[in-house]
Amino acid sequence: MLTILRQNIWRVAKRDFSRAWAHTSSVHSVNEQDVEHFTKILSSPSSVISTLSPSFSSSSDLENFNADWMGKYKGHATTVLKPRTTEEVSKILKYCWERQIHVVPQGGNTGLVGGSVPIQDELVISLSNLSKVRSFDPVSGILVADAGCVLESLSEHIAPHGFIMPLDLGAKGSCQIGGNVATNAGGLRLLRYGSLHGTVLGLEVVLPDGTVLDQLSTMRKDNTGYDLKQLFIGSEGTIGIITGVSILTPPAPKSTNNVVLALPSFSNVIPVFKATRQHLSEVLSAFEYFDRTAYDLALKHGHAAPFPAEEVEGAECYVLLETSGGKKEHDDEKINTLLETILSDEDSLILTGTLSQSPSQFASLWAIREGLTEAVSKEGKAYKYDISVPVSSFAEVVGTVRARCEEKGLISRGLVKHVIGYGHVGDGNLHLNVIATEYNDEVAQTLEPFVYEVVASHRGSISAEHGIGVMKTHALKYSKDAISRQWMRKIKDLFDSKGIMNPGKVLE
Amino acid sequence: MRPSPISQLRLLVPIKRCIDYAVKIRVNGSQTGVDTNVKHSMNPFDEIAVEEAIRLRERLKDQVKSIKVVTIGPAKAVETLRTALAMGADSAIHVEVPETLVPEPIGVAKTLRAIIEQEGGVDMVIMGKQAIDDDAGQTGQMLAGLLSWPQATFASKIDVQADLKSIEVTREIDGGLENMKCRLPAIITTDLRLNEPRYASLPNIMKAKKKPIQKLTPADLKIDLAPRLETLKVTEPPKRQGGGRVDNVVELIEKLRVAGIVAS
């Protein structure tokens, strides 16, 4: 039974992929001579993992590189290279450029749209071994690091100097800074510190033909013509491989606190958000949203409930707000005024809420929100839509999609278990998750392009922070018009005229 | 001392402000102690004690007359008292001491005895079995000794008998559970599995700001908290030497040979 199911998934997956991209005749698969060559140009024998001779790794050694963590996308790469230096990356790409071998750059492989896994048998270049911090200036807070540095280890590196990374993600323990930049990852601190387009000061990139583009600037201001590095931020490995990142890190806040509020109705989110911005102003660092179903899932999968069940009966959704400031007394006073305002409001904006009383409670409250991705993956197979829509339509969008699933009988037949919404109110970014029992053709067809049409009707974005990857290439048109897509294609061709870089991703 | 027969219980919960357990502890520059300029919160075992007092009231309703929390600590310890009040305690006592003075278990036990004598009619003292900063684990037992009261230490379950005159306490011991019964008044120290403390709700956090906190000094209680022990030096444990990676077995064997672990 399992095998049949798995075969079905494979068939679905293959159909999806072949629509997106197919081998052209001029492209070569990696062969044994290639592997031999790679073994020669790389300094360490452990940098080559291949099922081909002379290396002979088993295909299970390649499993983690060939599939994403959700088990949704799967490729058949025979060879993975783990270079240790920029020069090695350059040598590899130069060779692949000449031989016309397709490559997939891979960081922590924590993406959600299949951008970092091969579609067929492309060569995987993992940046995991490029993991040294190159420099950190404790005065300016400018950090220069190899692309393969894990986000959390960078946080730990700069913490003793009193700095934090300008981005924070649920996947911080595995994701790598190069991948973060290549996918323009957003995350929980974006509201406060802005996107990577602002915080990244410079990049070192190996271009598809092996040329090293050194733009590893450590200057905050550099107004000298075209800002090429911006093209690579969010390019998802389609025009080059990022090997080094220079990034501006902000001073760590001296005081942080958070509050979770249970709201009786979704319509209260906006008045609460308004009041929060007004009262907390510059110390507000996050304003997160999760609906009732998401909260219940978090509790089901292991989080201790912050509220007794009877106190939150009838709560439609929750918000988590965080403050980061320089002085505890100052922040406390602001939070206090906000809470007094909200509690004394005649319209009773909230059912109840809690203010963390210790660093451990602070972490536990965050864990509810940050653990949602994991709770969802424990519950079933998720169709994840990461969309930008006006905050006022968050609940409506989730409701519309749930109604569609009901109408098609997906819920009554048990194909879809839950439709949930959570996300970053501060950035207008909603994570719509449809949790199915299995990845299934019928569910996929019910959801797509339906979800994208809903997003387009709100003039939203079909990918707020997850990128396009392989999942959304066909849907790019809902957010980018023909002229924009045409110019994106021209840029792709300019850097990668042979089309060897991450084929089938971003552009069809 | 205690009005008899009792129809209502008065609970006293001593709590301590400690460096939060999530904080990485660092020794200070002069090696006299640890860096205290970090985030603090209520000792987790004391939080369990506060929670248990509130749960007793939820079970026994009006039979619990009062829940009073007490702390001995610097000015900022008021925040810890407010947290306990927000969880559901009725009132608080703050014995204020300078930040530089770190009271020892015997001093704390004597202070608590003085408070209990001054208050009159405390039926049950529920407190953490130890504080996570000095890990002394002595105060409850010393207090029981000073008062000549029964003690039930490391409680993982507390049941109050219907007549409110005695309690049954379960303790986790090697190889099983020990059930004991003791008469009131008594001292109970709490173990980790007694309960899971609640989050203070916003309305209660607001109400807690208006609950009374009585301020006292050690002099008011005629207590001398001067330390009897002298700390000579505080140092960090030796740093663990990080391991290295080798690329192949040959290299590994070579390293082992150099280290004298395998013969050449």
Side-chain angles (χ1 to χ4, degrees), chain A residues 44 46 84 256 261 304-306 311 328 336 339-340 343 350 352-355 357-361 364-365, chain B residues 20-23 26 39-41 47 76 79 82-83 86 196 198-203 205-206 209 247-248:
Chain A
S44 160
S46 64
R84 287 170 183 268
T256 50
L261 304 172
E311 270 183 39
K328 188 172 185 305
N336 204 14
L339 296 181
E340 269 169 9
L343 284 171
I350 65 166
T352 185
T354 188
L355 166 69
Q357 300 287 308
S358 66
S360 7
Q361 280 193 2
S364 305
L365 290 180
Chain B
D20 188 83
Y21 74 79
V23 169
R26 288 199 175 81
K39 284 174 179 155
H40 285 65
S41 58
E47 217 178 344
K76 279 183 180 163
E79 287 172 19
R82 291 282 175 212
T83 298
E196 270 183 51
R198 70 192 63 196
Y199 288 78
S201 78
L202 283 185
I205 290 171
M206 293 309 185
K209 292 180 195 297
D247 279 328
N248 51 50

Side-chain angles (χ1 to χ4, degrees), chain A residues 67 125 135 147 151 202 212 222 242 269 308 336 402 463 501 505:
Chain A
I125 301 179
S135 66
L151 181 59
V212 178
D222 177 19
I242 296 170
V269 172
N336 204 14
R402 189 180 289 129
S463 190
M501 294 298 302
K505 315 290 167 58

